[in-house]
Structure formats: C-alpha cells, structure tokens
Amino acid sequence: MHSFGYRANAVLTFAVTILAVICTIASISDNFNSATPTAEVQVSNINWFQKQPNGDDVVGLTLNISANLQSLFTWNTKQVFVFLAAEYETPQNSLNQVSLWDGIIPAKEHAKFVIQTTNKYHFTDQGSNLRGKEFNLTLHWHVMPKTGKMSANRIVMTGYRLPDKYR
C-alpha cells in the first residue's frame, strides 16, 4: 500500500498536468480569433507649436479619437493596452515615434470609445525638425491574455501635417 505522501504527490502531479493542458488549449484557441479593430483619429486643433530655449520643437494637439477594439477581446483576454503615437522621419532617423496618448482597456464593454483629448505626453522633437513636417498617427495595441503569449498590432493613419511657422 502507498503512503499518504506518495498519493498526494500523484494527485497533485495529475492536477498540474491537467491545468497545463487546459492553459495550452486556451492559448492555442486565441489563434482562431480574427480581430477586425477600427480606429479614426482627427487633429481638431494645434493648440501650440513652439521652439523651446534648448532648440527643441514642441507641439500641443487636441485629438478626437474614436475606436472599436471589441473584436480584440476573447474569453482569454485579460486587458488591452492601447497607445497613439506620432511617427515621422528626420534626416538623422528614418523613424521617430512619439507617444501622445495611452490607456488600458480592462473589458470588452470599454473597448468601443470616442474621446476628445489633448496629447497626454508632449510631442517633442530634439531639434527643429517639425516645421512643415508630415507625420502619421498610429494606434498601437497590445493584447494581454490570461494565459499564453501577448500579441500586438497597429493601425496607421496618414495625411497629417504640422504648420510651417511656430505659433
């Protein structure tokens, strides 16, 4: 006859194995979700556009952000981290990214939103490269599952341009 410790070890090992199998199945099932998020961002106002004393350009924007990210949520989604970035090129760098706004969406009910906000973080360029500069606004998201690997994607919106003169 087996001792209590041996039996407890067998039951615990079996339970952990079953839990690992269930977590693996949950993680694999997310691959069958075809997400179709939508987003639109409008720059409703350029509040200020200045050159700082240290030579950097800095911009303040009013943004209208509307997005429907509900398709990113499955039964395995814990939360979605979303952020809006301005992306542009300069002679020094082929890609500059500046985060303007971010948020955490805890549930599917909050994943469809329309907000008007100013940029949460300064749109700053180290140098005088922003006058007359064309830029893209990109909505990035990172899906954080309850189990499995994180996934990330983005929607790029083109056709934005800063003024030629400081305000």
Side-chain angles (χ1 to χ4, degrees), residues 89-157:
E89 293 181 8
T90 59
Q92 296 85 9
N93 300 306
S94 61
L95 176 63
N96 294 279
Q97 290 182 316
V98 179
S99 182
L100 302 176
W101 172 85
D102 64 14
I104 295 174
I105 303 170
K108 186 174 186 175
E109 297 78 35
H110 305 290
K112 188 173 185 179
F113 57 89
V114 176
I115 60 170
Q116 181 175 7
T117 183
T118 58
N119 48 312
K120 190 174 179 181
Y121 308 105
H122 289 289
F123 185 174
T124 304
D125 179 69
Q126 296 175 342
S128 300
N129 298 309
L130 292 181
R131 283 179 291 166
K133 181 64 68 180
E134 291 185 11
F135 65 98
N136 299 331
L137 290 175
T138 305
L139 188 72
H140 297 261
W141 61 85
H142 296 266
V143 178
M144 297 171 193
K146 294 175 184 166
T147 181
K149 68 176 188 162
M150 262 185 15
S151 63
N153 211 336
R154 66 180 180 255
I155 296 175
V156 178
M157 293 155 276

Side-chain angles (χ1 to χ4, degrees), residues 38-42 64-68 113-115 139:
T38 59
E40 183 180 336
V41 179
Q42 296 175 342
N64 293 326
I65 305 170
S66 62
N68 183 352
F113 57 89
V114 176
I115 60 170
L139 188 72

Side-chain angles (χ1 to χ4, degrees), residues 14 22 32 51 58-59 89 115-116 138 145-146 160-161 163:
F14 180 71
I22 290 172
F32 299 111
K51 184 173 186 165
V58 63
V59 182
E89 293 181 8
I115 60 170
Q116 181 175 7
T138 305
K146 294 175 184 166
Y160 301 95
R161 184 178 182 89

